[in-house]
């Protein structure tokens, strides 16, 4: 078991219950869609899984280890094994494609020579060969999201989280991006994606966990459920 | 952090300083001005202390011999005074010599005697000099306790006034230095905070992808240290330039004032000033980064 959520509840300071007693197990190498309407708790669950936030009660275990109380070193190790892609890309707009991807490797103190080899490799994987020097601000939405994916996978994480990655993209671009996620998953990276895009979920025959009002209402393979 | 980490954070710090040009300039100027004023105060206090010490070491302790004591006993009293610890020199001053010593302040001996109705009121006395300023009050106390000595004077009120003045000056100096230091730390914190906000998105990304706190903190810390270092070097340069000019002026025009040579002071003062400057820079950046440090 790679990821386990045990009785996870998250209540925000304003009293809103985002997650209510969630229990979930995800195996290594799985591709899991977290679906549900806006406010169902998909993004909150992803934030708890990569430890951007903490559950109010319950615990999340990654590879059998609770991530509630981690030292700085353990948190760093957890993050280095996880990649995150956001709906709004969260790229450094004025920087080049290369710099945006390289930041993952620089932050993990990889030597410059290795960065020069690894970045073109990742850009090839996401279909952005030859765009290294281009400032991100000049790219289309789909291209930006590819840069975000490249950044997330540059240090070969075990788990890739994606929070509504196709939210701002047109259907054709979304589908191309989804194929990229499937390819990444085929290389044994566990992919957990929050989305409310029915077309996408229905198109790929993957495990679908459906959330409603902070609870899991369905957990089955294939098809969109609300 | 490994050596590759350093190869990323060092250029980052200098690039930030360049990009935030005006804030960098303002922070360096604040540190330089604050430290410059602190150094001037400090150098002034050091020199006033030196002058006060010299003044006190030159203090003459006068022990007046009681009128009823016969001349034959003077030798015995003189021996007892000479035996006191810390006595450097001892001179007997007859009442006539005493009058001659103070007369120049009032005119001539005759004029002084006339004004007192032709009677010399001064008793015979012993003049004592101490080996060190610290010994003065002890010697004076022991002399006063000796049989045959009616009164002891050593200008204690003047010395005490001088020391009260230097203490007040030192206290004022410490308060002003503390205020200036706080202002400098605040401005460094502001400068670093601007850099932090300019790179907020980058810091967030670095945290998500697994950068350590030190990797994130280091460029800003380095930035603060550079601000402190440059500011303090400018302050040291300016303060010693002023000190050098002041020494030359004092040597020519106010030769009764003793000024310690710059060569005897500069190394210690510079090292402490640079240390304080670097510390102020580091504290400023740590303060501004505090809430960004939790991964």
């Amino acid at each position: 078991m790679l990821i386990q959520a045990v009785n996870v509840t998250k209540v925000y300071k304003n009293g809103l219950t985002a997650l209510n007693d969630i229990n979930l197990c995800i195996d290594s190498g799985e591709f899991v869609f977290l679906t549900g309407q806006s406010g169902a708790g998909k993004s909150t669950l992803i934030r708890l899984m990569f430890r951007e936030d903490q559950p109010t009660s319950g615990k999340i275990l990654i590879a059998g280890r609770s991530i509630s109380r981690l030292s700085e070193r353990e948190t760093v190790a957890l993050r280095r094994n996880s990649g995150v892609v956001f709906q709004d890309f969260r790229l450094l707009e004025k920087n080049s494609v290369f710099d945006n991807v390289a930041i993952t490797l620089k932050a993990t103190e990889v030597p410059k020579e290795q960065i020069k080899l690894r970045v073109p490799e990742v850009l090839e994987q996401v279909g952005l060969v030859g765009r290294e020097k281009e400032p991100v601000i000049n790219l289309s939405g789909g291209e930006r999201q590819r840069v975000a994916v490249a950044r997330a996978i540059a240090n070969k994480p075990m788990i890739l989280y994606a929070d509504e990655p196709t939210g701002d993209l047109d259907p054709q671009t979304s589908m191309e991006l989804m194929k990229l996620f499937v390819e990444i998953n085929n290389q044994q990276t566990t992919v957990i994606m929050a989305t409310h895009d029915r077309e996408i979920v229905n198109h790929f025959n993957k495990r679908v966990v459906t959330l409603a009002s902070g609870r899991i209402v369905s957990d089955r393979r294939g098809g969109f459920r609300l | 952090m490994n050596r590759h980490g350093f190869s990323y954070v060092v250029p980052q710090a200098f690039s930030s300083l360049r990009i935030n040009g005006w804030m960098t300039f303002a922070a360096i100027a604040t540190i330089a001005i604050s430290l410059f004023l602190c150094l001037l105060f400090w150098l002034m206090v050091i020199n006033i202390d030196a002058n006060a010490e010299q003044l006190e070491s030159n203090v003459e302790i006068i022990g007046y011999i009681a009128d009823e004591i016969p001349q034959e006993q003077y030798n015995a009293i003189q021996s007892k005074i000479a035996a006191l610890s810390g006595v450097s020199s001892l001179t007997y001053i007859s009442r006539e010599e005493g009058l001659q010593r103070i007369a120049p302040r009032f005119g001539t001996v005759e004029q002084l005697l006339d004004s007192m109705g032709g009677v010399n009121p001064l008793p015979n006395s012993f003049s004592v000099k101490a080996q060190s300023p610290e010994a003065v009050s002890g010697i004076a106390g022991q002399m006063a306790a000796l049989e045959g000595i009616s009164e002891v004077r050593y200008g204690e009120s003047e010395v005490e006034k001088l020391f009260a003045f230097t203490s007040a000056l030192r206290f004022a100096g410490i308060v002003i230095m503390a205020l200036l230091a706080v202002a400098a730390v605040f401005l460094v914190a502001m400068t670093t905070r601007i850099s932090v906000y300019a790179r907020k998105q980058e810091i967030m990304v670095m945290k998500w992808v697994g950068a350590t706190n030190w990797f994130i903190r280091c460029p800003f810390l380095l930035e603060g240290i550079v601000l402190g270092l440059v500011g303090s070097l400018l302050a040291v340069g300016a303060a010693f330039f002023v000190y050098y000019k002041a020494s030359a002026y004092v040597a020519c025009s106010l030769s009764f004032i003793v000024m310690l040579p710059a060569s005897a002071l500069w190394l210690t003062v510079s090292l402490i000033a640079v240390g304080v400057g670097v510390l102020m820079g580091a504290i400023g950046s740590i303060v501004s980064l505090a809430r960004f440090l939790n991964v």
Side-chain angles (χ1 to χ4, degrees):
Chain A
M1 199 67 60
L2 184 62
I3 305 169
Q4 213 177 340
V6 183
N7 305 118
V8 171
T9 296
K10 177 68 188 178
V11 182
Y12 286 110
K13 282 178 184 167
N14 61 8
L16 180 80
T17 303
L19 294 173
N20 193 352
D21 199 26
I22 295 286
N23 286 287
L24 180 67
C25 293
I26 297 170
D27 272 330
S28 180
E30 269 197 278
F31 192 123
V32 181
F33 284 117
L34 298 176
T35 65
Q37 290 176 329
S38 294
K42 313 182 290 289
S43 298
T44 302
L45 186 54
I46 282 195
R47 275 211 302 279
L48 297 185
M49 284 176 179
F50 80 90
R51 208 174 182 270
E52 198 190 9
D53 206 348
Q54 295 276 4
T56 309
S57 64
K59 59 185 175 183
I60 290 179
L61 298 103
I62 307 278
R65 172 89 164 84
S66 168
I67 60 166
S68 299
R69 286 181 197 159
L70 294 183
S71 63
E72 189 208 328
R73 181 184 289 223
E74 289 167 325
T75 306
V76 164
L78 176 76
R79 298 259 169 85
R80 289 182 181 189
N81 282 301
S82 318
V84 195
V85 179
F86 300 94
Q87 178 177 357
D88 57 355
F89 321 130
R90 302 195 193 175
L91 296 169
L92 307 174
E93 296 285 318
K94 290 177 188 167
N95 294 24
S96 68
V97 169
F98 184 96
D99 286 346
N100 269 279
V101 178
I103 193 169
T104 306
L105 302 162
K106 281 184 183 173
T108 49
E109 298 166 44
V110 172
K112 282 179 184 165
E113 304 72 47
Q114 286 182 32
I115 294 179
K116 282 180 190 160
L117 295 174
R118 177 65 183 151
V119 174
E121 223 174 75
V122 187
L123 289 178
E124 188 180 352
Q125 198 178 344
V126 301
L128 285 173
V129 175
R131 309 294 294 274
E132 286 91 340
K133 290 180 183 168
E134 194 101 36
V136 162
I137 205 160
N138 293 348
L139 302 182
S140 69
E143 287 169 331
R144 285 183 198 199
Q145 199 56 298
R146 283 170 184 273
V147 176
V149 173
R151 182 181 68 189
I153 62 169
N155 59 359
K156 302 177 182 171
M158 281 196 312
I159 311 165
L160 178 62
Y161 300 101
D163 189 5
E164 303 279 4
T166 58
D168 287 344
L169 307 178
D170 60 72
Q172 193 190 335
T173 312
S174 297
M175 207 52 84
E176 283 170 11
L177 191 74
M178 281 309 302
K179 285 176 187 164
L180 179 59
F181 278 109
V182 171
E183 267 174 43
I184 293 165
N185 177 240
N186 288 341
Q187 291 164 7
Q188 289 310 301
T189 302
T190 307
V191 177
I192 299 161
M193 182 182 295
T195 182
H196 60 265
D197 190 328
R198 182 184 294 263
E199 288 292 312
I200 282 174
V201 176
N202 287 340
H203 189 270
F204 296 90
N205 186 30
K206 301 290 180 188
R207 180 178 170 191
V208 182
V209 175
T210 309
L211 290 151
S213 304
R215 287 178 183 275
I216 294 177
V217 294
S218 153
D219 183 354
R220 57 197 295 176
R221 177 168 281 272
F224 193 84
R225 295 284 182 277
L226 281 178
Chain B
M1 187 158 46
N2 64 27
R3 66 188 171 86
H4 304 295
F6 276 107
S7 74
Y8 300 128
V9 300
V10 174
Q12 183 63 63
F14 286 97
S15 145
S16 259
L17 287 169
R18 205 179 51 246
I19 291 167
N20 303 322
W22 279 107
M23 277 308 284
T24 302
F25 174 76
I28 289 176
T30 312
I31 291 181
I33 292 168
S34 313
L35 272 177
F36 171 70
L37 294 174
C38 290
L39 284 176
L40 285 191
F41 252 109
W42 190 18
L43 290 169
M44 195 162 78
V45 168
I46 290 174
N47 278 282
I48 288 174
D49 275 355
N51 278 278
E53 274 196 20
Q54 197 188 20
L55 201 68
E56 204 180 35
S57 63
N58 285 335
V59 163
E60 189 180 33
I61 309 163
I62 303 289
Y64 294 106
I65 304 166
D67 285 338
E68 65 275 13
I69 301 296
Q71 289 269 348
E72 304 81 69
Q73 289 185 20
Y74 282 15
N75 278 345
I77 297 171
Q78 188 164 4
S79 305
K80 284 180 186 167
I81 294 173
L84 295 175
S85 72
V87 171
S88 157
S89 67
L90 172 60
T91 318
Y92 169 72
I93 299 168
S94 68
R95 52 196 302 162
E96 293 75 23
E97 282 170 328
L99 191 69
Q100 277 171 1
R101 285 177 71 175
I102 63 163
R105 293 188 221 163
F106 306 97
T108 63
V109 173
E110 290 73 25
Q111 284 167 336
L112 184 58
L113 268 178
D114 280 348
S115 67
M116 294 185 292
V119 180
N120 178 1
L122 293 176
N124 295 322
S125 61
F126 288 111
S127 164
V128 174
K129 287 212 169 173
Q131 285 167 351
S132 67
E134 295 76 30
V136 171
S137 62
I139 294 171
Q142 285 174 292
M143 276 173 70
L146 289 177
E147 200 179 327
I149 298 292
S150 61
E151 193 184 348
V152 175
R153 285 188 183 170
Y154 63 97
E156 57 269 43
S157 62
E158 286 78 7
V159 171
E160 275 163 17
K161 272 183 205 161
L162 188 67
F163 275 94
F165 173 68
T166 55
S167 297
L169 195 72
R170 199 177 290 123
F171 178 73
I174 288 168
V175 171
I176 291 169
M177 283 185 218
L179 289 175
L180 291 171
V182 168
V185 166
F186 177 75
L187 215 82
V188 173
M190 289 296 291
T191 311
T192 321
R193 185 158 289 187
I194 287 173
S195 306
V196 170
Y197 274 100
R199 295 183 55 217
K200 197 175 167 188
Q201 178 84 337
E202 197 179 336
I203 291 171
M204 293 305 291
V205 172
M206 287 198 291
K207 279 163 72 173
W208 294 326
V209 299
T212 60
N213 276 341
W214 267 111
F215 186 85
I216 295 170
R217 187 193 285 149
C218 228
F220 300 105
L221 193 61
L222 205 60
E223 208 177 311
I225 288 172
V226 170
L227 293 174
L229 184 68
V230 175
S232 58
L233 287 175
L234 287 173
V236 166
F240 275 101
F241 176 75
V242 170
Y243 190 78
Y244 179 75
K245 289 283 177 194
S247 298
Y249 175 76
V250 164
C252 290
S253 314
L254 304 163
S255 52
F256 60 92
I257 296 176
V258 176
M259 271 187 87
L260 298 169
S263 57
L265 295 170
W266 80 269
L267 188 63
T268 317
V269 171
S270 304
L271 284 177
I272 292 174
V274 170
V276 169
V278 166
L279 198 68
M280 287 199 299
I283 291 173
S285 51
I286 287 170
V287 165
S288 68
L289 266 177
R291 75 188 183 87
F292 283 89
L293 286 181
N294 295 324
V295 286

